[in-house]
Amino acid sequence: MTRTVYLNGSWLAETDAKISVFDRGFLFADAIYEVTGVVDGKLLEYAGHSARLQRSMAELGINCPLTEEELLSVHREIVLKNGLQEGLIYLQISRGAADRDFAFPENVTPTLVLFTQAKSVLDNPKVRTGISVALVPDQRWARRDIKTVQLLYPSMAKMQAASMGADDAWLVEDGFVTEASAATAHIISKDGKLITRGLSNAILHGITRLSVLDIARNAGLGVEERAFTPEEAKNAAEAFITSATNFVLPVTKIDGQPVGDGKPGLQTLKLRQLYIDNKLANAI
Ligand code: PDD
């Protein structure tokens, strides 16, 4: 099936959407992105993704050609044009096309692209088994708080994890876990506290993370926002990741060692359900 994608104000068949070879997203990874989950044709956590997009653009001095209301309309329209029931919307905005130069060009028009990916996000078989993760050094740049398309290292980390027989990588820097290749890392300690790294430039400020912490606190779970070590994670009662498309997904093995009893944790599954119920009720 050919999707209809959005490119700089036009709706095009995916095979007809083309961008310049001089686009700075292509030449310099001078671009940022957002991924918004869709269930029942509705957008999940849109306000959070929109706010983070504005922040990423401000950090890099990229000016969006559309207002926030127009962007929301494009999100709604792309769902309708593609009959998307469940999956995600990918948005990318680059600084635009200009002759190759390390200095940011002036008066360049950003390139804005949106496309959809249909995917079963609610009924994920990995919820029943959990995923396995391999610990891999974090060799990304130092501004991970900006959601740039510089995803080569996360890709390499994921491949390294796969070569070790794991589903995903947990990245480690200076003796502490930063995050997963494309998700936030969390553990639940044996005394029942949710531990997740505090916000800084070392990690992406996950939209799902923020909501899950809120939901956990409301459910009476203690929350500690601090870095944890790989050892602490291996000895935790439970572990999980959060992201726009995984919601809350159990991690049952770290570097080949079972977490807790090696089955998806009860608190983790409860948080997943509470998160899904809450976000579906507030989808727009
Ligand atoms: N990734 N950390 C990293 C490095 C990420 O790439 C992501 C999301 C997250 C979770 O953020 P959120 O809860 O806002 O989705 C954390 C997206 C889904 C992706 O790259 O496809």
Side-chain angles (χ1 to χ4, degrees):
M1 197 188 85
T2 305
R3 286 169 290 189
T4 300
V5 306
Y6 176 93
L7 172 61
N8 295 333
S10 301
W11 293 102
L12 301 165
E14 65 180 66
T15 43
D16 295 334
K18 303 272 180 353
I19 63 166
S20 166
V21 295
F22 296 107
D23 194 276
R24 289 181 59 91
F26 175 59
L27 295 179
F28 291 96
D30 186 358
I32 53 181
Y33 75 108
E34 274 301 327
V35 173
T36 304
V38 173
V39 171
D40 293 336
K42 289 188 177 161
L43 311 173
L44 303 177
E45 303 246 40
Y46 184 76
H49 290 289
S50 168
R52 187 172 61 192
L53 177 69
Q54 299 298 329
R55 178 183 181 274
S56 294
M57 288 193 294
E59 288 296 315
L60 297 181
I62 293 176
N63 297 313
C64 187
L66 300 188
T67 64
E68 288 184 53
E69 295 88 271
E70 287 168 338
L71 268 183
L72 173 57
S73 303
V74 172
H75 275 80
R76 290 194 193 288
E77 217 168 323
I78 202 163
V79 167
L80 294 175
K81 286 196 188 294
N82 290 283
L84 182 68
Q85 277 304 303
E86 203 174 313
L88 62 94
I89 298 171
Y90 177 91
L91 173 154
Q92 177 170 325
I93 180 162
S94 80
R95 195 176 305 277
D99 201 15
R100 185 174 182 273
D101 187 345
F102 280 74
F104 292 170
E106 279 172 26
N107 305 321
V108 63
T109 309
T111 305
L112 177 62
V113 172
L114 283 90
F115 59 80
T116 54
Q117 286 184 306
K119 191 176 167 187
S120 244
V121 284
L122 283 180
D123 185 21
N124 178 349
K126 291 285 183 191
V127 176
R128 295 184 275 284
T129 57
I131 60 164
S132 55
V133 300
L135 298 163
V136 167
D138 196 340
Q139 295 179 349
R140 298 173 298 165
W141 79 325
R143 289 301 308 275
R144 301 156 194 160
D145 57 308
I146 309 173
K147 199 166 169 60
T148 73
V149 301
Q150 283 188 70
L151 296 174
L152 181 56
Y153 188 72
S155 241
M156 289 167 71
K158 188 128 190 167
M159 293 310 290
Q160 197 178 328
S163 74
M164 293 156 84
D167 296 307
D168 197 5
W170 271 19
L171 307 173
V172 180
E173 182 175 62
D174 298 333
F176 293 96
V177 173
T178 49
E179 54 189 332
S181 64
T184 311
H186 311 256
I187 56 172
I188 296 182
S189 61
K190 291 208 167 106
D191 61 353
K193 287 199 189 90
L194 193 170
I195 302 166
T196 196
R197 196 167 175 123
L199 296 181
S200 70
N201 293 354
I203 61 166
L204 183 74
H205 301 184
I207 304 306
T208 322
R209 171 193 180 280
L210 195 65
S211 294
V212 167
L213 293 192
D214 229 37
I215 286 167
R217 287 190 185 100
N218 287 335
L221 207 64
V223 172
E224 277 181 24
E225 292 187 61
R226 62 165 176 84
F228 57 85
T229 64
E231 271 323 293
E232 209 177 348
K234 287 180 190 168
N235 292 313
E238 303 183 20
F240 62 93
I241 56 167
T242 57
S243 77
T245 46
N246 286 308
F247 306 143
V248 175
L249 191 66
V251 170
T252 45
K253 230 187 230 183
I254 301 176
D255 266 358
Q257 200 171 306
V259 179
D261 62 4
K263 298 201 186 92
L266 291 181
Q267 296 289 353
T268 300
L269 294 176
K270 182 176 157 192
L271 285 173
R272 179 179 173 89
Q273 199 52 53
L274 289 172
Y275 177 82
I276 289 172
D277 291 348
N278 182 293
K279 294 307 150 192
L280 290 192
N282 293 295
I284 60 166

